[in-house]
Amino acid sequence: MSSPVVQIRDIHKIYESGEVPVHAVRGVSLEIQRGEFIALMGASGSGKSTLMNMLGCLDRQTRGTYLLDGIDIDKLDRNELADLRNQKLGFVFQGFNLLARTTALENVELPMLYGRHRRVTASQIRERAMYCLEIVGLANRADHMPNQLSGGQQQRVAIARGLVNEPQVLLADEPTGNLDSKTSVEVMGVFQKLNDQGITIVMVTHELDIAHYCKRNLILRDGVVVRDEAVQNRSIAAHEMAKLKEAETAAKLLAGATAA
Amino acid sequence: MRFTTTFLVALRALRRNTMRSILTALGIIIGIGAVITTVAMGTGAKVQVEAQIASLGQNLITVMPGSSSSGGMRGGFGSSATLTPEDYEAIAAEVPNIDGISPEIRDRNQILANGLNWNTNVNGVGPDYPYVRNWPMAAGAMFTDQEVKSLAKVCVIGKTVADQVFPNEDPIGQTLRIRNLPFRILGVLTPKGFSVFGSDEDDVVLIPYTSHMRRVSRRTSISMIRIQASDADKIAEVKLSTEDLLTQRRRGREPDFTVRTQEELSTTFTATARTMTVLLGGIALVSLIVGGIGVMNIMLVSVTERTREIGIRIAIGAHGNDVLLQFLIEAILLSVLGGGLGILCGYGASEIVTYYFGLPTLVPMWSVLLAVGVSTVIGIFFGFFPAYKAAQLDPIDALRHE
Ligand SMILES: Nc1ncnc2c1ncn2[C@@H]1O[C@H](COP(=O)(O)OP(=O)(O)OP(=O)(O)O)[C@@H](O)[C@H]1O
Ligand SMILES: [Mg+2]
């Protein structure tokens, strides 16, 4: 078996910024293999975002080691970390963090503009960004600004941006937090498709039924992992969508029948 | 990241913040435009004054009635005739190292010629006058010593008089009437423009001072004597000799005249002009600062948004240097654009001032460089400094920035 993509050992995060230090993550050890699909759950304030930010190399741990793809993150400087985020990681933020007054397409193109190792032309970038928007079903909104998009659409633009550089690991902080159940299932469908293609996904969610689309569930409480289990009878988005459609048509037929 | 890509990113950033870009550029445009215009007005005035002082003549010494020690002109009963034609003749005969000398009597009179009336300066002068004033004839000739001695009824006229009274003909040889006496026109002077005091120098008729005193004004005193020293380093000597001679001629009476060199005159005027330039420069500096503060405000207001933007860019893989380069390019583009437009506005406004208000303007290179330099520094500093700070943050802190 190949080495794990993510290997963290006894990782801690202490925020020193406030009056009293906040010990947000208190010793988490975790191995994530390629192709895994993990849901990170836990109460508000349990340290999910903090852990995700460290996994995404956006923030440094206070203690402990983090090997991403075998590389010790602690030994990298700012620019090497930036390259790592650009090439190996895709991050979907809890608050989208799209560039304002910038079209969906340009937002998605952004990580490719900062790609350092691959030489690509502007038209290749555009094509690839368009393809990613298609994956999340927003090709027809490519020219829209973030403020012209619904929350769920912005979320999907953020996902497309996370995908555009073909990351090994996609990290998503509450990707379905702002979405209705149908759109949530759509997003989970996208994730399952990507996961089937081999992308490792870690996502935060509060909803148990959403976590059921993943392969492995982690539960965090007060900065420590209290439960780590494989998902039995995992939901398949395609099936759920079909069921939803059926229910919808049934409702329509019913409505039609009563109207008639 | 390649430079071209960063350039593209910077252009996109400017475009999507059109309002901010325009306001920033506007601050720079106003600052630079104001500096260039005000300095152009100051310099124009100074250059004009300098030209006028030079146009007074070279190595010039003037003798005026009235004592400088007693504070300017002294007039009133019994003390009227302070500077006489005899004083002039004595200086001309006895003071060495003089190249030219001319008395001058100033008066205003109605003249009549060609069926037209014109109110103008009718001045009585000597034959050396055009030479001393460095004011050559455009056509014809100046009257001679002989004509002065014989109280001839001849004259030469300035450009304005020529244009007004003889619009379509050659005035030379024609006559004009002063106090109903016919004066034959011998020549026309070259145009000289406006004097230091703002009056039209070309609005003048010059007649022999003798004729002026006997036939026109019936005065016994003259308004001033202009002397041209033969050499720049003879000026002081000529001044002293003139003072000595005049004092001697007054036989113990209190000196009632003032001898001044051109240098003394011009220092007064250039000092005034310099004060004006400093004043205008001050105003310009204030507008530059105001424009700069405008730019600064716009930049600082957008720091929060831009800090988030920087956070996003770094989070998805930008290096700190990519972001800094982007912001630098943005700031430079705005400064260059604003600077270019500002220079155009400055030149345009200077032209307008000259055209509509008749004030001379001259845009000196240093003001352009100063204005562009200062506003570029302001634009780049305030555009770049927040970016520099944000690029030092961890991406997560930049994203959290409020
Ligand atoms: N920048 C910070 N400075 C100080 N404390 C922080 C900071 N960020 C988070 N915390 C604290 O760390 C703890 C964990 O926060 P975190 O954002 O990881 O929670 P979470 O599990 O993502 O919660 P939610 O489900 O509400 O998003 C919280 O107690 C929070 O107050
Ligand atoms: Mg969170």
Side-chain angles (χ1 to χ4, degrees):
Chain A
M1 199 176 143
S2 63
S3 64
V5 225
V6 170
Q7 227 176 339
I8 56 180
R9 200 158 295 137
D10 196 27
I11 213 167
H12 289 256
K13 179 72 191 182
I14 303 168
Y15 289 112
E16 304 272 11
S17 50
E19 294 206 339
V20 270
V22 178
H23 206 148
V25 171
R26 321 161 166 250
V28 171
S29 296
L30 192 63
E31 280 193 358
I32 301 173
Q33 305 294 334
R34 277 168 221 283
E36 282 206 71
F37 188 1
I38 296 178
L40 196 55
M41 299 204 289
S44 181
S46 56
K48 304 181 297 291
S49 294
T50 306
L51 184 58
M52 285 295 271
N53 289 340
M54 287 189 290
L55 285 176
C57 299
L58 293 167
D59 209 355
R60 286 181 192 267
Q61 68 269 28
T62 315
R63 271 207 309 277
T65 52
Y66 173 15
L67 302 186
L68 176 67
D69 213 8
I71 304 163
D72 189 346
I73 294 308
D74 234 17
K75 298 210 165 66
L76 301 182
D77 67 21
R78 293 168 59 82
N79 287 346
E80 287 166 331
L81 275 181
D83 288 341
L84 203 72
R85 286 194 296 270
N86 187 257
Q87 298 305 317
K88 299 202 166 161
L89 299 170
F91 206 101
V92 182
F93 297 94
Q94 194 166 359
F96 319 139
N97 276 330
L98 297 175
L99 283 189
R101 295 186 292 282
T102 304
T103 63
L105 188 65
E106 284 180 5
N107 261 299
V108 176
E109 282 180 354
L110 215 54
M112 292 194 84
L113 294 182
Y114 292 109
R116 236 156 282 267
H117 310 299
R118 280 172 276 170
R119 292 228 151 227
V120 279
T121 64
S123 65
Q124 279 173 312
I125 289 179
R126 186 130 295 199
E127 227 168 82
R128 168 86 190 142
M130 212 50 209
Y131 170 71
C132 289
L133 279 177
E134 263 165 42
I135 293 180
V136 297
L138 278 180
N140 55 340
R141 296 293 161 89
D143 297 335
H144 287 218
M145 306 290 169
N147 62 353
Q148 299 166 327
L149 295 171
S150 74
Q153 289 167 333
Q154 291 183 51
Q155 186 71 280
R156 283 187 278 163
V157 173
I159 294 171
R161 187 179 64 186
L163 289 176
V164 81
N165 267 352
E166 300 174 312
Q168 296 183 9
V169 184
L170 183 68
L171 301 161
D173 198 347
E174 298 199 32
T176 60
N178 306 290
L179 307 183
D180 63 72
S181 57
K182 184 168 168 248
T183 325
S184 298
V185 175
E186 268 172 31
V187 168
M188 291 318 291
V190 171
F191 278 7
Q192 285 188 336
K193 205 162 70 183
L194 293 167
N195 183 240
D196 290 344
Q197 290 165 6
I199 295 180
T200 311
I201 299 175
V202 182
M203 57 174 276
V204 171
T205 182
H206 281 289
E207 299 150 88
L208 257 175
D209 53 330
I210 291 294
H212 235 75
Y213 288 89
C214 305
K215 293 175 177 168
R216 178 180 169 192
N217 285 359
L218 285 177
I219 296 175
L220 222 56
R221 188 185 298 149
D222 294 335
V224 287
V225 177
V226 292
R227 186 134 32 112
D228 181 354
E229 57 189 18
V231 177
Q232 313 291 327
N233 301 324
R234 114 185 228 253
S235 319
I236 303 297
H239 300 169
E240 298 302 318
M241 274 316 278
K243 274 191 220 163
L244 274 174
K245 279 231 177 69
E246 259 171 46
E248 233 172 67
T249 17
K252 263 188 203 146
L253 281 177
L254 202 66
T258 39
Chain B
M1 193 176 183
R2 277 164 294 171
F3 180 80
T4 43
T5 324
T6 313
F7 196 83
L8 183 83
V9 168
L11 273 185
R12 280 183 180 175
L14 286 181
R15 197 195 53 204
R16 75 193 165 88
N17 296 303
T18 322
M19 200 53 179
R20 185 176 69 211
S21 306
I22 289 174
L23 287 176
T24 310
L26 204 63
I28 296 173
I29 291 171
I30 289 172
I32 291 185
V35 170
I36 290 179
T37 315
T38 43
V39 173
M41 287 166 68
T43 317
K46 203 172 90 187
V47 166
Q48 192 191 32
V49 165
E50 277 165 3
Q52 281 163 349
I53 286 167
S55 78
L56 290 176
Q58 268 172 339
N59 304 335
L60 203 71
I61 297 153
T62 53
V63 185
M64 306 275 254
S67 161
S68 61
S69 60
S70 61
M73 299 281 276
R74 281 153 62 98
F77 272 116
S79 67
S80 52
T82 57
L83 212 55
T84 60
E86 289 73 34
D87 286 332
Y88 153 68
E89 278 154 20
I91 296 168
E94 291 173 41
V95 176
N97 298 318
I98 287 179
D99 250 14
I101 180 166
S102 171
E104 186 171 335
I105 301 166
R106 296 170 169 275
D107 199 10
R108 268 194 94 81
N109 259 302
Q110 198 75 17
I111 63 168
L112 185 73
N114 214 5
L116 292 167
N117 256 318
W118 185 248
N119 191 280
T120 183
N121 297 299
V122 175
N123 294 348
V125 300
D128 278 356
Y129 187 79
Y131 174 72
V132 172
R133 293 277 333 253
N134 199 6
W135 193 359
M137 306 297 298
M142 183 64 182
F143 43 78
T144 61
D145 249 336
Q146 194 48 51
E147 282 158 325
V148 170
K149 286 211 178 82
S150 61
L151 279 65
K153 285 176 280 185
V154 291
C155 67
V156 298
I157 59 177
K159 182 79 169 49
T160 306
V161 175
D163 288 347
Q164 291 295 336
V165 186
F166 302 98
N168 302 313
E169 22 184 338
D170 183 5
I172 294 172
Q174 312 245 32
T175 37
L176 54 77
R177 289 181 168 270
I178 308 167
R179 294 221 163 183
N180 240 345
L181 293 171
F183 281 74
R184 192 157 47 84
I185 299 171
L186 298 179
V188 180
L189 292 157
T190 49
K192 204 170 179 66
F194 286 84
S195 78
V196 184
F197 307 100
S199 59
D200 180 3
E201 294 252 55
D202 299 317
D203 188 10
V204 73
V205 175
L206 300 177
I207 61 174
Y209 72 98
T210 47
S211 316
H212 201 289
M213 293 170 79
R214 296 283 172 73
R215 299 183 192 273
V216 179
S217 63
R218 299 182 199 272
R219 285 197 203 157
T220 52
S221 68
I222 55 181
S223 312
M224 69 190 293
I225 303 170
R226 295 174 193 264
I227 306 169
Q228 185 173 332
S230 60
D231 198 278
D233 37 271
K234 291 288 192 303
I235 295 176
E237 199 185 310
V238 172
K239 181 187 173 190
L240 272 181
S241 317
T242 307
E243 279 172 343
D244 282 351
L245 179 67
L246 291 180
T247 314
Q248 214 182 324
R249 283 175 55 78
R250 296 235 172 338
R251 293 203 186 85
R253 268 192 292 133
E254 210 184 312
D256 55 355
F257 58 88
T258 309
V259 183
R260 275 211 273 181
T261 63
Q262 189 179 5
E263 210 180 334
E264 290 163 348
L265 249 173
S266 59
T267 40
T268 326
F269 282 122
T270 41
T272 315
R274 196 174 309 123
T275 314
M276 223 161 77
T277 317
V278 168
L279 205 80
L280 288 171
I283 296 170
L285 206 68
V286 169
S287 27
L288 203 59
I289 291 170
V290 169
I293 289 175
V295 171
M296 184 181 83
N297 277 344
I298 293 156
M299 293 296 189
L300 289 183
V301 162
S302 63
V303 160
T304 301
E305 192 197 312
R306 302 232 81 183
T307 303
R308 290 192 76 100
E309 177 189 336
I310 291 168
I312 294 172
R313 289 180 187 278
I314 291 182
I316 59 173
H319 286 192
N321 285 341
D322 294 333
V323 173
L324 287 186
L325 186 63
Q326 175 202 332
F327 274 65
L328 197 63
I329 292 173
E330 281 183 35
I332 289 174
L333 280 179
L334 280 183
S335 299
V336 166
L337 200 83
L341 287 176
I343 292 172
L344 285 184
C345 286
Y347 273 100
S350 305
E351 287 298 311
I352 288 171
V353 165
T354 304
Y355 189 81
Y356 285 102
F357 302 106
L359 296 173
T361 51
L362 190 109
V363 179
M365 206 54 212
W366 65 262
S367 73
V368 175
L369 294 179
L370 174 88
V372 170
V374 170
S375 49
T376 308
V377 166
I378 290 172
I380 289 178
F381 183 79
F382 289 108
F384 190 65
F385 190 64
Y388 177 78
K389 267 174 53 188
Q392 306 303 310
L393 293 175
D394 272 330
I396 200 72
D397 293 328
L399 285 172
R400 280 204 197 102
H401 187 88
E402 256 141 32

